[in-house]
C-alpha cells in the first residue's frame, strides 16, 4: 500500500550505480528465501529466490547472496534505474507452519 | 499480478459491520493466503488454505474467518470490523507451502471508521 514505505530504512542511490540491500533473517533452520519488490500502491512482486544449499544466485540485473553463518541475505541490483525505486523485502521459510516470514523492508530511492 | 484479482480494491466501513474481501485466481494453485500489511510490520499471515474447504490459522487470525468453496476463490471475512483492522490486505497464491514462491494480488485497502 501507499504507507508501506513509512518508517523504513532508506537506501538512496544514483541512477546507474549498483545497489545492495541487506536482510538479516531469524531462523537458522530456514531453507528457502525470497526477495520481493513492492511499488507504491501495488502488491509485492517476486524478484528472485534462493535455497539454503546455494550461496549465490543470479537473475537479470539482480544477484542474491546467502551467508548462512551469519544469517544474512543480500540483494544486489546492477545499474540501478529509476524504475527500481520501491520497497524491497526478504522472506524466509521460518514460520511454525512452514509458512513464509516477511521482513519489514528497505526503501530504495533512485536519483536520476 | 499472476492472475490474481482482489475485490473490492478500496473499502470504508464502520466499526461493528461485517466485511468480506474476495480473492480470485486463475492459476489453479492449491495454496491461497491472506495477509495484512501495516506500517512498521512485515506482511503478517492471517489465514491460509491448502485446498477446497481446507483452511488454517496464521499468526494474526483473531477477528477473521475464511472460506474456500472453490479452488479459485478465497474469502476473508471480518465478522465485526474494528479500527485495529484498518489495513491493506493482500491475497497470495502458491503451488505448495513453504519453499515455493508466492504471488500476490494487488491488495485491498480497508478503512474502519
Amino acid at each position: 500500500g501507499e504507507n508501506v514505505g513509512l518508517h523504513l530504512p532508506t537506501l538512496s542511490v544514483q541512477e546507474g550505480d549498483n545497489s545492495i540491500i541487506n536482510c538479516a533473517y531469524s531462523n537458522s533452520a530456514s531453507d528457502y528465501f525470497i526477495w520481493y519488490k513492492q511499488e507504491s500502491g501495488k502488491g509485492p512482486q517476486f524478484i528472485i529466490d534462493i535455497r539454503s544449499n546455494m550461496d549465490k544466485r543470479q537473475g537479470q540485473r539482480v544477484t542474491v547472496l546467502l551467508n548462512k553463518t551469519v544469517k544474512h541475505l543480500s540483494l544486489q541490483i546492477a545499474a540501478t534505474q529509476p524504475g527500481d525505486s520501491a520497497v524491497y523485502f526478504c522472506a524466509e521459510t521460518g514460520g511454525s507452519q512452514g509458512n513464509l516470514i516477511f521482513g519489514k523492508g528497505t526503501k530504495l530511492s533512485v536519483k536520476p | 499480478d499472476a492472475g490474481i484479482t482482489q475485490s473490492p480494491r478500496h473499502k470504508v466501513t464502520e466499526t461493528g459491520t461485517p466485511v468480506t474481501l474476495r480473492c480470485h485466481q486463475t492459476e489453479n494453485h492449491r495454496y491461497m493466503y491472506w495477509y495484512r500489511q501495516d506500517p512498521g510490520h512485515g506482511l503478517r499471515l492471517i489465514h491460509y488454505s491448502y485446498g477446497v474447504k481446507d483452511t488454517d490459522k496464521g499468526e494474526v487470525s483473531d477477528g477473521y474467518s475464511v472460506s474456500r468453496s472453490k479452488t479459485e476463490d478465497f474469502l476473508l471475512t471480518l465478522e465485526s470490523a474494528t479500527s485495529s483492522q484498518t489495513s491493506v490486505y493482500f491475497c497470495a497464491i502458491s503451488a505448495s507451502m513453504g519453499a515455493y514462491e508466492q504471488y500476490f494480488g494487488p491488495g485491498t485497502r480497508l478503512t474502519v471508521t
Side-chain angles (χ1 to χ4, degrees), chain A residues 2 36 38 51 97-98 104, chain B residues 37 40 57 98-99 102 109:
Chain A
E2 286 83 0
Y36 284 93
Q38 187 175 20
R51 297 190 183 274
Q97 296 149 305
K104 296 182 177 62
Chain B
Q37 186 176 48
K57 296 179 179 180
Q102 292 183 19
R109 177 169 290 278

Side-chain angles (χ1 to χ4, degrees), chain B residues 70-113:
Chain B
K70 297 186 289 185
T71 298
E72 57 267 34
D73 290 326
F74 193 31
L75 304 180
L76 177 71
T77 297
L78 291 66
E79 301 291 348
S80 177
T82 67
S83 59
S84 65
Q85 293 176 311
T86 292
S87 187
V88 181
Y89 291 86
F90 288 101
C91 173
I93 64 173
S94 68
S96 188
M97 186 70 158
Y100 290 85
E101 59 267 33
Q102 292 183 19
Y103 297 98
F104 286 81
T108 294
R109 177 169 290 278
L110 176 67
T111 302
V112 183
T113 61

Side-chain angles (χ1 to χ4, degrees), chain B residues 43-63:
Chain B
L43 286 159
R44 292 182 290 174
L45 182 64
I46 304 171
H47 282 278
Y48 67 97
S49 169
Y50 47 97
V52 173
K53 292 184 169 50
D54 293 323
T55 65
D56 205 349
K57 296 179 179 180
E59 66 174 297
V60 290
S61 59
D62 287 348

Side-chain angles (χ1 to χ4, degrees), chain A residues 97-110:
Chain A
Q97 296 149 305
N99 53 295
L100 290 176
I101 300 295
F102 294 84
K104 296 182 177 62
T106 297
K107 183 176 182 179
L108 176 64
S109 178
V110 182

Side-chain angles (χ1 to χ4, degrees), chain A:
Chain A
E2 286 83 0
N3 294 333
V4 71
L6 295 179
H7 313 301
L8 292 177
T10 299
L11 174 65
S12 186
V13 300
Q14 202 71 38
E15 181 179 0
D17 288 350
N18 296 334
S19 302
I20 299 177
I21 301 170
N22 298 304
C23 177
Y25 63 92
S26 57
N27 191 337
S28 57
S30 293
D31 58 0
Y32 178 70
F33 306 86
I34 304 178
W35 278 102
Y36 284 93
K37 171 187 180 183
Q38 187 175 20
E39 297 172 278
S40 182
K42 296 186 178 180
Q45 177 186 357
F46 172 87
I47 302 173
I48 191 168
D49 58 1
I50 188 168
R51 297 190 183 274
S52 59
N53 60 351
M54 302 173 70
D55 297 323
K56 178 180 180 179
R57 190 169 187 216
Q58 287 184 291
Q60 191 172 25
R61 272 200 317 119
V62 295
T63 300
V64 55
L65 299 177
L66 175 61
N67 185 330
K68 295 180 287 292
T69 302
V70 295
K71 294 191 290 185
H72 184 267
L73 196 66
S74 68
L75 177 71
Q76 300 178 359
I77 305 174
T80 313
Q81 302 168 1
D84 295 325
S85 293
V87 173
Y88 292 80
F89 53 87
C90 64
E92 60 176 301
T93 51
S96 58
Q97 296 149 305
N99 53 295
L100 290 176
I101 300 295
F102 294 84
K104 296 182 177 62
T106 297
K107 183 176 182 179
L108 176 64
S109 178
V110 182
K111 296 175 286 185

Side-chain angles (χ1 to χ4, degrees), chain B residues 3 5-6 10 22 26 44 99:
Chain B
T5 57
Q6 292 184 231
H10 301 270
R22 179 179 182 246
T26 58
R44 292 182 290 174

